[in-house]
Coordinates of all heavy atoms in Angstrom, one line a residue:
M1 N 2.4 -28.9 -72.5 CA 2.5 -29.4 -71.1 C 2.5 -28.3 -70.2 O 3.4 -27.4 -70.3 CB 3.7 -30.3 -71.0 CG 3.8 -30.9 -69.6 SD 5.3 -32.0 -69.6 CE 4.9 -33.0 -68.4
Q2 N 1.7 -28.3 -69.2 CA 1.7 -27.2 -68.2 C 2.8 -27.5 -67.1 O 2.9 -28.6 -66.6 CB 0.4 -27.1 -67.5 CG -0.7 -26.6 -68.4 CD -2.0 -26.4 -67.7 OE1 -2.2 -27.0 -66.6 NE2 -2.9 -25.6 -68.2
T3 N 3.5 -26.5 -66.7 CA 4.5 -26.7 -65.6 C 3.9 -26.0 -64.4 O 2.9 -25.3 -64.4 CB 5.8 -26.1 -66.0 OG1 5.6 -24.7 -66.2 CG2 6.4 -26.7 -67.2
L4 N 4.6 -26.2 -63.3 CA 4.1 -25.5 -62.0 C 4.2 -24.0 -62.1 O 3.4 -23.3 -61.6 CB 5.0 -26.0 -60.8 CG 4.7 -27.5 -60.4 CD1 5.7 -27.9 -59.3 CD2 3.3 -27.7 -60.0
A5 N 5.2 -23.5 -62.8 CA 5.3 -22.0 -62.9 C 4.2 -21.4 -63.8 O 3.8 -20.3 -63.6 CB 6.6 -21.7 -63.6
N6 N 3.6 -22.2 -64.7 CA 2.5 -21.7 -65.5 C 1.2 -22.4 -65.2 O 0.4 -22.6 -66.1 CB 2.9 -21.9 -67.0 CG 4.1 -21.1 -67.4 OD1 4.3 -20.0 -66.9 ND2 4.9 -21.7 -68.3
F7 N 1.0 -22.7 -64.0 CA -0.2 -23.3 -63.6 C -1.4 -22.4 -63.7 O -1.3 -21.2 -63.4 CB -0.1 -23.8 -62.1 CG -1.3 -24.6 -61.7 CD1 -1.4 -25.9 -62.1 CD2 -2.2 -24.1 -60.8 CE1 -2.5 -26.7 -61.6 CE2 -3.3 -24.8 -60.4 CZ -3.4 -26.1 -60.8
G8 N -2.5 -22.9 -64.2 CA -3.7 -22.1 -64.3 C -3.7 -21.2 -65.4 O -3.6 -21.5 -66.6
D9 N -3.9 -19.9 -65.1 CA -4.0 -18.9 -66.2 C -2.6 -18.3 -66.6 O -2.6 -17.4 -67.4 CB -4.9 -17.7 -65.7 CG -4.3 -17.0 -64.4 OD1 -3.3 -17.5 -63.9 OD2 -4.8 -16.0 -64.0
G10 N -1.6 -18.9 -66.2 CA -0.2 -18.5 -66.7 C 0.3 -17.2 -66.0 O 1.2 -16.6 -66.4
G11 N -0.3 -16.9 -64.8 CA 0.1 -15.7 -64.1 C 1.2 -15.9 -63.1 O 1.4 -15.1 -62.2
G12 N 1.9 -17.0 -63.2 CA 3.0 -17.2 -62.3 C 2.7 -18.3 -61.3 O 1.6 -19.0 -61.4
P13 N 3.5 -18.6 -60.3 CA 3.3 -19.7 -59.5 C 2.2 -19.5 -58.5 O 1.6 -20.5 -58.0 CB 4.7 -19.8 -58.7 CG 5.3 -18.5 -58.8 CD 4.8 -17.9 -60.1
G14 N 1.8 -18.3 -58.2 CA 0.7 -18.1 -57.2 C 1.1 -18.1 -55.8 O 2.3 -18.3 -55.5
P15 N 0.2 -18.0 -54.9 CA 0.5 -17.9 -53.5 C 1.0 -19.2 -52.9 O 1.6 -19.3 -51.8 CB -0.8 -17.4 -52.8 CG -1.8 -17.8 -53.8 CD -1.2 -17.7 -55.1
W16 N 0.8 -20.3 -53.5 CA 1.2 -21.6 -53.0 C 2.7 -21.8 -52.9 O 3.2 -22.7 -52.2 CB 0.6 -22.8 -53.8 CG 1.1 -22.8 -55.2 CD1 0.5 -22.2 -56.3 CD2 2.2 -23.5 -55.7 NE1 1.2 -22.4 -57.4 CE2 2.3 -23.2 -57.1 CE3 3.2 -24.3 -55.1 CZ2 3.3 -23.7 -57.9 CZ3 4.2 -24.7 -55.9 CH2 4.3 -24.5 -57.3
I17 N 3.4 -20.9 -53.6 CA 4.9 -21.0 -53.6 C 5.4 -20.7 -52.2 O 6.5 -21.1 -51.8 CB 5.5 -20.0 -54.6 CG1 7.0 -20.3 -54.9 CG2 5.4 -18.6 -54.1 CD1 7.2 -21.5 -55.7
L18 N 4.6 -20.0 -51.3 CA 5.0 -19.8 -49.9 C 5.0 -21.0 -49.1 O 5.6 -21.1 -48.0 CB 4.1 -18.7 -49.3 CG 4.2 -17.3 -50.0 CD1 3.1 -16.4 -49.3 CD2 5.5 -16.7 -49.9
F19 N 4.4 -22.1 -49.6 CA 4.3 -23.3 -48.8 C 5.7 -24.0 -48.6 O 5.9 -24.4 -47.5 CB 3.4 -24.3 -49.6 CG 3.2 -25.6 -49.0 CD1 2.4 -25.7 -47.8 CD2 3.7 -26.8 -49.5 CE1 2.3 -26.9 -47.2 CE2 3.6 -28.0 -48.9 CZ 2.8 -28.1 -47.7
F20 N 6.5 -24.0 -49.6 CA 7.8 -24.6 -49.4 C 8.8 -23.9 -48.4 O 9.4 -24.5 -47.6 CB 8.5 -24.8 -50.8 CG 7.8 -25.8 -51.6 CD1 7.1 -25.4 -52.8 CD2 7.8 -27.1 -51.3 CE1 6.4 -26.3 -53.5 CE2 7.2 -28.1 -52.1 CZ 6.5 -27.7 -53.2
P21 N 8.9 -22.6 -48.5 CA 9.7 -21.9 -47.4 C 9.1 -22.1 -46.0 O 9.8 -22.2 -45.0 CB 9.7 -20.4 -47.8 CG 9.4 -20.4 -49.3 CD 8.5 -21.6 -49.5
L22 N 7.8 -22.2 -45.9 CA 7.1 -22.4 -44.7 C 7.5 -23.8 -44.1 O 7.8 -23.9 -42.9 CB 5.6 -22.3 -44.8 CG 4.8 -22.5 -43.5 CD1 5.1 -21.4 -42.5 CD2 3.3 -22.5 -43.8
I23 N 7.5 -24.8 -45.0 CA 7.9 -26.1 -44.6 C 9.3 -26.1 -44.1 O 9.6 -26.7 -43.0 CB 7.7 -27.1 -45.7 CG1 6.2 -27.3 -46.0 CG2 8.3 -28.5 -45.4 CD1 5.4 -27.9 -44.9
W24 N 10.2 -25.5 -44.8 CA 11.6 -25.5 -44.4 C 11.8 -24.7 -43.1 O 12.6 -25.1 -42.2 CB 12.5 -24.8 -45.5 CG 12.9 -25.8 -46.5 CD1 12.4 -25.8 -47.8 CD2 13.7 -26.9 -46.4 NE1 12.9 -26.9 -48.5 CE2 13.7 -27.6 -47.6 CE3 14.4 -27.5 -45.3 CZ2 14.5 -28.8 -47.8 CZ3 15.1 -28.6 -45.5 CH2 15.2 -29.3 -46.8
A25 N 11.0 -23.6 -42.9 CA 11.1 -22.9 -41.6 C 10.7 -23.8 -40.5 O 11.3 -23.8 -39.4 CB 10.3 -21.6 -41.7
L26 N 9.6 -24.5 -40.7 CA 9.1 -25.4 -39.6 C 10.2 -26.5 -39.3 O 10.4 -26.9 -38.1 CB 7.8 -26.1 -40.0 CG 6.6 -25.1 -40.0 CD1 5.4 -25.8 -40.6 CD2 6.3 -24.6 -38.6
V27 N 10.8 -27.1 -40.3 CA 11.8 -28.1 -40.1 C 13.0 -27.6 -39.4 O 13.5 -28.2 -38.4 CB 12.2 -28.8 -41.5 CG1 13.5 -29.6 -41.3 CG2 11.1 -29.6 -42.1
I28 N 13.5 -26.4 -39.8 CA 14.7 -25.8 -39.1 C 14.3 -25.4 -37.7 O 15.1 -25.7 -36.7 CB 15.2 -24.7 -39.9 CG1 15.8 -25.2 -41.2 CG2 16.2 -23.9 -39.1 CD1 16.1 -24.1 -42.2
G29 N 13.1 -24.8 -37.5 CA 12.7 -24.4 -36.2 C 12.5 -25.6 -35.2 O 12.9 -25.6 -34.1
G30 N 12.0 -26.7 -35.8 CA 11.8 -27.9 -35.0 C 13.1 -28.5 -34.6 O 13.3 -29.0 -33.4
A31 N 14.1 -28.5 -35.5 CA 15.4 -29.0 -35.2 C 16.1 -28.2 -34.1 O 16.7 -28.7 -33.2 CB 16.3 -29.0 -36.4
I32 N 15.9 -26.8 -34.1 CA 16.5 -26.0 -33.1 C 15.9 -26.2 -31.7 O 16.6 -26.4 -30.7 CB 16.4 -24.5 -33.5 CG1 17.3 -24.2 -34.7 CG2 16.7 -23.6 -32.4 CD1 17.1 -22.8 -35.3
V33 N 14.6 -26.4 -31.7 CA 13.9 -26.6 -30.5 C 14.3 -28.0 -29.9 O 14.6 -28.1 -28.7 CB 12.3 -26.6 -30.7 CG1 11.6 -27.2 -29.5 CG2 11.9 -25.2 -30.9
L34 N 14.4 -29.0 -30.7 CA 14.9 -30.3 -30.3 C 16.3 -30.3 -29.7 O 16.5 -30.8 -28.6 CB 14.8 -31.3 -31.4 CG 15.1 -32.7 -31.1 CD1 14.1 -33.3 -30.1 CD2 15.2 -33.6 -32.4
L35 N 17.2 -29.6 -30.4 CA 18.6 -29.5 -29.9 C 18.6 -28.7 -28.6 O 19.4 -29.1 -27.7 CB 19.4 -28.8 -30.9 CG 19.8 -29.6 -32.1 CD1 20.5 -28.8 -33.2 CD2 20.7 -30.8 -31.7
R36 N 17.9 -27.6 -28.4 CA 17.9 -26.9 -27.2 C 17.4 -27.7 -26.0 O 17.9 -27.6 -24.9 CB 17.1 -25.6 -27.4 CG 17.8 -24.6 -28.3 CD 17.0 -23.3 -28.4 NE 17.1 -22.6 -27.1 CZ 16.4 -21.5 -26.8 NH1 15.5 -21.1 -27.7 NH2 16.5 -20.9 -25.7
R37 N 16.3 -28.4 -26.3 CA 15.7 -29.3 -25.2 C 16.7 -30.4 -24.8 O 16.8 -30.7 -23.6 CB 14.4 -29.9 -25.6 CG 13.3 -28.8 -25.7 CD 12.0 -29.5 -25.9 NE 11.6 -30.3 -24.8 CZ 10.5 -31.0 -24.7 NH1 9.7 -31.0 -25.7 NH2 10.3 -31.7 -23.6
T38 N 17.4 -31.0 -25.8 CA 18.3 -32.0 -25.5 C 19.5 -31.5 -24.7 O 19.9 -32.1 -23.7 CB 18.8 -32.6 -26.8 OG1 17.7 -33.1 -27.5 CG2 19.8 -33.8 -26.5
V39 N 20.0 -30.3 -25.0 CA 21.2 -29.7 -24.3 C 20.7 -29.4 -22.9 O 21.5 -29.6 -21.9 CB 21.7 -28.5 -25.1 CG1 22.7 -27.7 -24.2 CG2 22.4 -28.9 -26.4
R40 N 19.6 -28.8 -22.7 CA 19.1 -28.4 -21.4 C 18.9 -29.6 -20.5 O 19.2 -29.6 -19.4 CB 17.8 -27.6 -21.5 CG 17.9 -26.3 -21.0 CD 16.5 -25.6 -20.9 NE 16.5 -24.7 -22.1 CZ 15.4 -24.5 -22.8 NH1 14.3 -25.1 -22.5 NH2 15.4 -23.8 -23.9
R41 N 18.3 -30.7 -21.1 CA 18.1 -31.9 -20.3 C 19.4 -32.5 -19.9 O 19.6 -33.1 -18.8 CB 17.3 -32.9 -21.2 CG 17.0 -34.1 -20.4 CD 16.1 -35.0 -21.1 NE 14.8 -34.4 -21.3 CZ 13.9 -34.6 -22.3 NH1 14.3 -35.4 -23.3 NH2 12.8 -34.0 -22.4
G42 N 20.5 -32.4 -20.8 CA 21.8 -32.9 -20.4 C 22.4 -32.2 -19.3 O 23.1 -32.7 -18.4
R43 N 22.2 -30.9 -19.2 CA 22.7 -30.1 -18.1 C 22.0 -30.4 -16.8 O 22.7 -30.3 -15.7 CB 22.6 -28.6 -18.4 CG 23.7 -28.1 -19.2 CD 23.7 -26.6 -19.2 NE 23.6 -26.2 -20.6 CZ 22.9 -25.2 -21.0 NH1 22.2 -24.4 -20.2 NH2 22.8 -24.9 -22.3
R44 N 20.8 -30.7 -16.8 CA 20.0 -31.0 -15.6 C 20.3 -32.3 -15.0 O 20.0 -32.6 -13.9 CB 18.5 -30.8 -15.8 CG 18.1 -29.4 -15.8 CD 16.6 -29.4 -15.8 NE 16.0 -30.2 -16.9 CZ 15.0 -29.8 -17.7 NH1 14.5 -28.7 -17.5 NH2 14.6 -30.6 -18.6
G45 N 20.8 -33.2 -15.9 CA 21.1 -34.6 -15.4 C 20.4 -35.6 -16.2 O 20.9 -36.7 -16.4
G46 N 19.2 -35.3 -16.6 CA 18.4 -36.3 -17.4 C 18.0 -37.5 -16.6 O 18.4 -37.7 -15.5
P47 N 17.2 -38.3 -17.2 CA 16.7 -39.5 -16.5 C 17.7 -40.6 -16.3 O 17.5 -41.5 -15.5 CB 15.5 -40.0 -17.4 CG 15.9 -39.5 -18.7 CD 16.6 -38.2 -18.5
W48 N 18.8 -40.6 -17.0 CA 19.8 -41.6 -17.0 C 20.8 -41.4 -15.8 O 21.5 -42.4 -15.5 CB 20.6 -41.8 -18.3 CG 21.2 -40.5 -18.7 CD1 22.4 -40.1 -18.3 CD2 20.6 -39.5 -19.5 NE1 22.7 -38.8 -18.9 CE2 21.6 -38.4 -19.6 CE3 19.4 -39.3 -20.1 CZ2 21.3 -37.3 -20.3 CZ3 19.2 -38.1 -20.8 CH2 20.1 -37.1 -20.9
R49 N 20.9 -40.3 -15.3 CA 21.8 -40.0 -14.2 C 21.1 -40.3 -12.8 O 20.0 -40.0 -12.6 CB 22.3 -38.6 -14.2 CG 23.2 -38.3 -15.3 CD 23.9 -37.0 -15.0 NE 24.7 -36.6 -16.2 CZ 25.3 -35.5 -16.3 NH1 25.1 -34.5 -15.4 NH2 26.0 -35.2 -17.3
Q50 N 21.9 -40.9 -11.9 CA 21.4 -41.2 -10.6 C 21.6 -40.0 -9.7 O 22.6 -39.3 -9.8 CB 22.0 -42.4 -10.0 CG 21.7 -43.7 -10.7 CD 22.3 -44.9 -10.1 OE1 23.2 -44.7 -9.2 NE2 21.9 -46.0 -10.5
P51 N 20.7 -39.7 -8.7 CA 21.0 -38.6 -7.8 C 22.2 -38.9 -7.0 O 22.6 -40.0 -6.8 CB 19.7 -38.6 -7.0 CG 19.1 -39.9 -7.1 CD 19.5 -40.4 -8.5
A52 N 22.8 -37.8 -6.4 CA 24.0 -38.0 -5.6 C 23.8 -38.8 -4.4 O 24.6 -39.6 -4.0 CB 24.5 -36.6 -5.2
V53 N 22.6 -38.7 -3.8 CA 22.2 -39.5 -2.6 C 20.9 -40.2 -3.0 O 19.9 -39.5 -3.2 CB 22.1 -38.7 -1.3 CG1 21.6 -39.5 -0.2 CG2 23.4 -38.0 -1.0
E54 N 20.8 -41.5 -2.9 CA 19.6 -42.2 -3.2 C 18.6 -41.9 -2.0 O 19.0 -41.7 -0.9 CB 19.8 -43.6 -3.4 CG 20.7 -43.9 -4.6 CD 21.0 -45.4 -4.7 OE1 20.4 -46.2 -4.0 OE2 21.9 -45.7 -5.5
S55 N 17.3 -42.0 -2.3 CA 16.3 -41.6 -1.3 C 16.2 -42.6 -0.2 O 15.7 -42.3 0.9 CB 14.9 -41.5 -2.0 OG 14.6 -42.7 -2.6
D56 N 16.7 -43.9 -0.4 CA 16.6 -44.9 0.6 C 18.0 -45.1 1.3 O 18.2 -46.0 2.0 CB 16.0 -46.2 0.1 CG 16.8 -46.7 -1.0 OD1 17.6 -46.0 -1.6 OD2 16.6 -47.9 -1.3
S57 N 19.0 -44.3 1.0 CA 20.3 -44.4 1.6 C 20.3 -44.0 3.0 O 19.4 -43.2 3.5 CB 21.3 -43.6 0.8 OG 21.2 -42.2 1.1
P58 N 21.2 -44.5 3.8 CA 21.3 -44.1 5.2 C 21.5 -42.6 5.4 O 20.9 -42.0 6.3 CB 22.5 -44.8 5.8 CG 22.7 -46.0 4.8 CD 22.2 -45.5 3.5
I59 N 22.2 -41.9 4.5 CA 22.4 -40.5 4.6 C 21.1 -39.7 4.4 O 20.7 -38.8 5.1 CB 23.5 -40.0 3.7 CG1 24.8 -40.6 4.1 CG2 23.6 -38.5 3.6 CD1 26.0 -40.3 3.2
A60 N 20.3 -40.2 3.4 CA 19.0 -39.6 3.1 C 18.0 -39.8 4.3 O 17.3 -38.9 4.7 CB 18.4 -40.1 1.9
V61 N 18.0 -41.0 4.9 CA 17.2 -41.3 6.0 C 17.5 -40.4 7.2 O 16.7 -39.9 7.9 CB 17.3 -42.8 6.4 CG1 16.5 -43.1 7.7 CG2 16.7 -43.7 5.3
L62 N 18.9 -40.2 7.4 CA 19.3 -39.4 8.5 C 18.8 -37.9 8.2 O 18.4 -37.3 9.2 CB 20.8 -39.4 8.6 CG 21.5 -38.6 9.7 CD1 21.0 -39.1 11.1 CD2 23.0 -38.6 9.5
G63 N 19.0 -37.5 7.0 CA 18.5 -36.1 6.7 C 17.0 -35.9 6.9 O 16.6 -34.9 7.4
H64 N 16.2 -37.0 6.5 CA 14.8 -36.9 6.8 C 14.4 -36.9 8.3 O 13.5 -36.1 8.7 CB 14.1 -38.1 6.1 CG 14.1 -38.0 4.6 ND1 13.4 -37.0 3.9 CD2 14.6 -38.8 3.7 CE1 13.6 -37.2 2.6 NE2 14.3 -38.3 2.5
R65 N 15.2 -37.7 9.1 CA 15.0 -37.7 10.5 C 15.3 -36.3 11.1 O 14.6 -35.8 12.0 CB 15.8 -38.8 11.2 CG 15.3 -40.2 10.8 CD 16.0 -41.2 11.6 NE 15.7 -41.0 13.0 CZ 16.5 -41.6 14.0 NH1 17.5 -42.3 13.7 NH2 16.2 -41.4 15.3
F66 N 16.4 -35.7 10.6 CA 16.7 -34.4 11.1 C 15.7 -33.3 10.7 O 15.3 -32.5 11.5 CB 18.1 -34.0 10.6 CG 18.5 -32.6 11.0 CD1 18.7 -32.2 12.3 CD2 18.8 -31.6 10.1 CE1 19.1 -31.0 12.7 CE2 19.2 -30.4 10.4 CZ 19.3 -30.0 11.7
A67 N 15.2 -33.4 9.5 CA 14.3 -32.4 9.0 C 12.9 -32.6 9.7 O 12.2 -31.6 9.9 CB 14.1 -32.6 7.5
S68 N 12.6 -33.8 10.1 CA 11.3 -34.0 10.8 C 11.4 -33.7 12.3 O 10.4 -33.7 13.0 CB 10.8 -35.4 10.5 OG 11.6 -36.3 11.2
G69 N 12.6 -33.4 12.8 CA 12.7 -33.1 14.2 C 12.9 -34.3 15.1 O 12.9 -34.1 16.4
E70 N 13.1 -35.5 14.6 CA 13.4 -36.7 15.4 C 14.7 -36.6 16.1 O 14.8 -37.1 17.3 CB 13.3 -37.9 14.6 CG 12.0 -38.3 14.0 CD 12.0 -39.5 13.2 OE1 12.7 -40.5 13.6 OE2 11.3 -39.6 12.2
I71 N 15.7 -36.0 15.5 CA 17.0 -35.9 16.1 C 17.5 -34.4 16.1 O 17.0 -33.6 15.2 CB 18.1 -36.8 15.4 CG1 18.2 -36.4 13.9 CG2 17.8 -38.2 15.6 CD1 19.3 -37.2 13.2
D72 N 18.3 -34.0 17.0 CA 18.8 -32.6 17.0 C 20.0 -32.5 16.1 O 20.6 -33.4 15.6 CB 19.1 -32.2 18.5 CG 20.2 -33.0 19.1 OD1 20.7 -33.9 18.5 OD2 20.5 -32.6 20.3
E73 N 20.5 -31.2 16.1 CA 21.6 -30.9 15.2 C 22.9 -31.6 15.5 O 23.7 -32.2 14.7 CB 21.9 -29.4 15.1 CG 22.9 -29.0 14.1 CD 23.0 -27.5 14.0 OE1 22.4 -26.8 14.7 OE2 23.9 -27.1 13.2
D74 N 23.2 -31.7 16.8 CA 24.5 -32.4 17.3 C 24.5 -33.8 16.9 O 25.5 -34.4 16.4 CB 24.7 -32.2 18.8 CG 24.9 -30.7 19.2 OD1 25.5 -30.0 18.3 OD2 24.6 -30.4 20.3
E75 N 23.3 -34.5 17.2 CA 23.2 -35.9 16.8 C 23.3 -36.1 15.3 O 23.9 -37.1 14.8 CB 21.9 -36.5 17.4 CG 21.8 -38.0 17.2 CD 20.6 -38.6 17.9 OE1 19.9 -37.8 18.5 OE2 20.4 -39.8 17.7
Y76 N 22.7 -35.2 14.5 CA 22.8 -35.3 13.1 C 24.2 -35.2 12.6 O 24.6 -36.1 11.8 CB 21.9 -34.2 12.5 CG 22.1 -34.0 11.0 CD1 21.5 -34.9 10.1 CD2 23.0 -33.0 10.4 CE1 21.7 -34.8 8.7 CE2 23.1 -32.9 9.1 CZ 22.5 -33.8 8.2 OH 22.7 -33.7 6.9
W77 N 25.0 -34.2 13.0 CA 26.4 -34.1 12.6 C 27.2 -35.3 13.0 O 28.1 -35.7 12.3 CB 27.0 -32.8 13.0 CG 26.4 -31.6 12.3 CD1 25.6 -30.6 12.8 CD2 26.5 -31.4 10.9 NE1 25.3 -29.8 11.8 CE2 25.8 -30.2 10.6 CE3 27.2 -32.0 9.8 CZ2 25.8 -29.6 9.3 CZ3 27.1 -31.5 8.6 CH2 26.4 -30.3 8.3
R78 N 27.0 -35.8 14.2 CA 27.8 -36.9 14.8 C 27.5 -38.1 13.9 O 28.4 -38.8 13.5 CB 27.4 -37.1 16.2 CG 28.3 -38.1 16.9 CD 28.0 -38.1 18.5 NE 26.7 -37.6 18.9 CZ 25.7 -38.4 19.1 NH1 25.8 -39.7 19.0 NH2 24.5 -37.9 19.5
R79 N 26.3 -38.4 13.6 CA 25.9 -39.6 12.8 C 26.3 -39.4 11.4 O 26.7 -40.4 10.7 CB 24.4 -39.9 12.9 CG 24.0 -40.4 14.3 CD 22.5 -40.7 14.3 NE 22.1 -41.1 15.6 CZ 21.1 -41.9 15.9 NH1 20.4 -42.4 14.9 NH2 20.8 -42.3 17.1
L80 N 26.2 -38.2 10.9 CA 26.7 -38.0 9.5 C 28.1 -38.2 9.3 O 28.6 -38.8 8.3 CB 26.3 -36.5 9.1 CG 26.6 -36.2 7.6 CD1 25.8 -37.1 6.6 CD2 26.3 -34.7 7.3
S81 N 28.9 -37.8 10.3 CA 30.4 -38.0 10.2 C 30.7 -39.5 10.2 O 31.6 -40.0 9.5 CB 31.1 -37.3 11.3 OG 30.8 -37.8 12.6
V82 N 30.0 -40.3 11.0 CA 30.2 -41.7 11.0 C 29.8 -42.3 9.7 O 30.5 -43.2 9.1 CB 29.4 -42.4 12.2 CG1 29.4 -43.9 12.0 CG2 29.9 -41.9 13.5
L83 N 28.7 -41.9 9.1 CA 28.2 -42.4 7.8 C 29.2 -42.1 6.7 O 29.5 -42.9 5.8 CB 26.8 -41.9 7.5 CG 25.7 -42.5 8.3 CD1 24.4 -41.9 8.0 CD2 25.6 -44.0 8.1
N84 N 29.7 -40.8 6.7 CA 30.7 -40.4 5.7 C 31.9 -41.2 5.8 O 32.5 -41.6 4.8 CB 31.0 -38.9 5.9 CG 29.9 -38.0 5.3 OD1 29.1 -38.5 4.4 ND2 29.8 -36.8 5.8
E85 N 32.4 -41.5 7.0 CA 33.6 -42.4 7.1 C 33.3 -43.8 6.6 O 34.1 -44.4 6.0 CB 34.0 -42.4 8.6 CG 34.7 -41.2 9.1 CD 35.0 -41.2 10.6 OE1 34.9 -42.3 11.2 OE2 35.3 -40.2 11.1
E86 N 32.1 -44.3 6.9 CA 31.8 -45.7 6.5 C 31.6 -45.8 5.0 O 32.1 -46.8 4.4 CB 30.5 -46.1 7.2 CG 30.1 -47.5 6.9 CD 28.9 -47.9 7.7 OE1 28.6 -47.4 8.8 OE2 28.1 -48.8 7.2
F87 N 31.0 -44.8 4.4 CA 30.8 -44.9 2.9 C 31.9 -44.3 2.1 O 31.8 -44.2 0.9 CB 29.4 -44.3 2.6 CG 28.3 -45.1 3.1 CD1 27.5 -44.6 4.1 CD2 28.0 -46.3 2.5 CE1 26.4 -45.4 4.6 CE2 26.9 -47.1 2.9 CZ 26.1 -46.6 4.0
G88 N 32.9 -43.7 2.8 CA 34.1 -43.2 2.1 C 33.8 -41.8 1.4 O 34.5 -41.5 0.5
R89 N 32.9 -41.1 1.9 CA 32.6 -39.8 1.3 C 33.3 -38.7 2.2 O 33.2 -38.8 3.4 CB 31.1 -39.5 1.3 CG 30.4 -40.5 0.4 CD 28.9 -40.2 0.5 NE 28.6 -39.1 -0.4 CZ 27.5 -38.6 -0.5 NH1 26.5 -38.9 0.3 NH2 27.3 -37.6 -1.3
P90 N 34.0 -37.8 1.6 CA 34.6 -36.8 2.4 C 33.6 -35.8 3.1 O 32.6 -35.6 2.5 CB 35.5 -36.0 1.4 CG 34.9 -36.2 0.1 CD 34.2 -37.6 0.2
A91 N 34.0 -35.4 4.3 CA 33.1 -34.5 5.0 C 33.1 -33.1 4.3 O 34.1 -32.6 3.9 CB 33.5 -34.3 6.4
K92 N 31.9 -32.5 4.2 CA 31.8 -31.2 3.5 C 32.1 -30.1 4.5 O 31.7 -30.2 5.7 CB 30.4 -31.0 3.0 CG 30.1 -31.9 1.8 CD 28.7 -31.6 1.2 CE 28.5 -32.4 0.0 NZ 27.2 -32.1 -0.6
G93 N 32.8 -29.1 4.0 CA 33.0 -27.9 4.8 C 34.1 -28.1 5.8 O 34.4 -27.3 6.7
G94 N 34.8 -29.2 5.8 CA 35.9 -29.5 6.8 C 37.2 -28.8 6.3 O 37.4 -28.5 5.2
G95 N 38.0 -28.5 7.3 CA 39.2 -27.8 7.0 C 40.3 -28.9 6.6 O 40.0 -30.0 6.4
A96 N 41.5 -28.4 6.4 CA 42.7 -29.3 6.0 C 42.3 -30.2 5.0 O 42.4 -31.2 4.8 CB 43.3 -29.9 7.3

C-alpha cells in the first residue's frame, strides 16, 4: 500500500507538502486581520453606536444655521445655552 510519504517514485513527500503550512498561514493571517478590523471598528464606534448629536436634533440644526451664516456667533451661543439647559446637557468650556 502506498502512503503519502512514499507517493510516486518513493522520493519523499514532494513539493506538495508546502500546501499544509500555507493553508495554516492563511487561516492564522485571516484570523489576525479579522480581529484587528473588529477592534478598530469598536474604537471608532461602529454602526451600532449613535452619534453624540443626531443630525435632525435642534442642536445640529442650530450648528448648521451658524455654519451657513444665517445667524451670528452671539445668537448661536445664546440659543445653544438655552438648548443645553432644555435638554439637560452641560455647557462646554464653562467655568465652576
